[in-house]
């Protein structure tokens, strides 16, 4: 069962207010990060990628660019691309500054502050049966699965076969966590996930 119309209204209202507040506070920082990324990568400082959103609608996700441009194919497994990460990119990723442009996604309605992370089409297309309930919510900047796997890159670098481990262990577990998030949604839990993400505390 997806979240109620009442909860959906308050969730969206909360997103709009918080996104507007965040943009007022952080637009100068976003522009500074964009400029640094543009200079270091010698390209547009924004990373733009197509993702799958609510009701399977495609949208473009915005982040600060943290990797140099590559002429060859790039893996969707971040652990494979660590050699391409810029010096500023390491700092942006550490403090989640690369995620700040997603405030525009939230304000536009393609994302929420809390929810399942938006998948690329090749992964979203694999959702079957009850798992497709995830697609009834706007994808989020953070959420229970994102918090559990905040060190995902390090985890994947520590295993012998990152692709297999991601596809058979991490991704299915994220789907399970996100499915339970939708079924047991509450605004109070959303506030807890945001607090946990910002301050790095563990949930009780």
């Amino acid at each position: 069962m997806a979240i109620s119309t009442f909860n959906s209204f308050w969730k969206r209202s909360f997103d709009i207010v918080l996104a507007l507040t965040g943009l007022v506070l952080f637009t100068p920082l976003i522009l500074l990060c964009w400029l640094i990324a543009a200079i270091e990568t010698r390209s547009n400082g924004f990373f733009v990628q197509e993702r799958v959103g609510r009701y399977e609608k495609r949208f473009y996700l915005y982040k600060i660019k943290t990797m140099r441009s590559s002429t060859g194919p790039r893996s969707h497994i971040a652990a494979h691309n660590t050699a391409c990460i810029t010096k500023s990119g390491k700092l942006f990723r550490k403090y989640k500054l690369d995620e700040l442009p997603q405030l525009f996604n939230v304000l536009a309605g393609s994302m929420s502050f809390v929810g399942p992370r938006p998948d690329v089409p090749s992964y979203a297309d694999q959702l079957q049966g009850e798992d497709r309930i995830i697609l009834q919510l706007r994808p989020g900047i953070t959420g229970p699965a994102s918090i559990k796997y905040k060190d995902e890159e390090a985890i994947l670098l520590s295993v012998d076969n990152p692709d297999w481990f991601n596809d058979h262990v991490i991704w299915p577990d994220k789907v399970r966590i996100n499915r339970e998030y939708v079924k047991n949604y509450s605004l109070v839990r959303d506030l807890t996930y945001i607090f946990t993400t910002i301050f790095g505390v563990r949930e009780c």
Side-chain angles (χ1 to χ4, degrees):
M1 180 179 178
I3 67 174
S4 67
T5 302
F6 176 81
N7 281 331
S8 182
F9 170 79
W10 284 110
K11 182 176 176 65
R12 180 61 188 148
S13 300
F14 175 79
D15 283 341
I16 292 172
V17 172
L18 200 58
L20 284 171
T21 303
L23 286 171
V24 169
L25 294 174
F26 296 117
T27 292
L29 180 58
I30 292 172
L31 292 175
L32 177 61
C33 291
W34 170 83
L35 180 60
I36 293 171
I39 292 172
E40 191 165 10
T41 64
R42 298 182 181 180
S43 63
N44 181 6
F46 286 126
F47 169 78
V48 183
Q49 187 179 55
E50 186 180 59
R51 299 290 179 94
V52 178
R54 191 183 192 191
Y55 304 135
E56 300 182 72
K57 184 178 180 180
R58 306 290 179 92
F59 73 98
Y60 288 101
L61 175 142
Y62 297 95
K63 299 176 74 171
I64 298 294
K65 187 175 288 184
T66 59
M67 292 190 286
R68 298 178 186 87
S69 299
S70 174
T71 55
R74 181 168 284 165
S75 175
H76 61 272
I77 304 295
H80 290 320
N81 305 314
T82 52
C84 298
I85 300 175
T86 61
K87 291 181 180 179
S88 62
K90 292 178 182 178
L91 180 69
F92 295 156
R93 288 182 175 211
K94 180 178 179 180
Y95 294 103
K96 305 298 183 184
L97 299 177
D98 59 316
E99 308 280 357
L100 285 176
Q102 289 166 55
L103 290 170
F104 292 104
N105 286 119
V106 174
L107 187 61
S110 55
M111 290 184 67
S112 176
F113 271 96
V114 182
R117 283 298 292 170
D119 277 319
V120 294
S122 60
Y123 275 85
D125 292 344
Q126 296 179 40
L127 293 171
Q128 300 292 329
E130 190 180 24
D131 293 339
R132 293 182 64 79
I133 194 174
I134 295 170
L135 297 173
Q136 295 185 28
L137 277 189
R138 292 180 179 86
I141 296 176
T142 188
S146 299
I147 292 169
K148 179 175 180 178
Y149 289 104
K150 63 184 178 67
D151 297 319
E152 182 176 336
E153 287 187 25
I155 294 171
L156 291 173
L157 284 170
S158 70
V159 299
D160 294 331
N161 191 332
D163 294 279
W164 184 92
F165 196 83
N166 179 75
D167 293 349
H168 294 85
V169 178
I170 293 181
W171 190 73
D173 191 38
K174 285 181 177 179
V175 171
R176 177 191 61 79
I177 293 170
N178 289 328
R179 187 179 64 237
E180 293 305 310
Y181 166 77
V182 178
K183 289 182 176 180
N184 300 293
Y185 173 79
S186 77
L187 184 58
V188 172
R189 285 195 181 94
D190 272 9
L191 294 173
T192 300
Y193 296 135
I194 292 172
F195 185 86
T196 302
T197 300
I198 294 174
F199 297 101
V201 298
R202 294 185 180 274
E203 294 179 88
C204 299

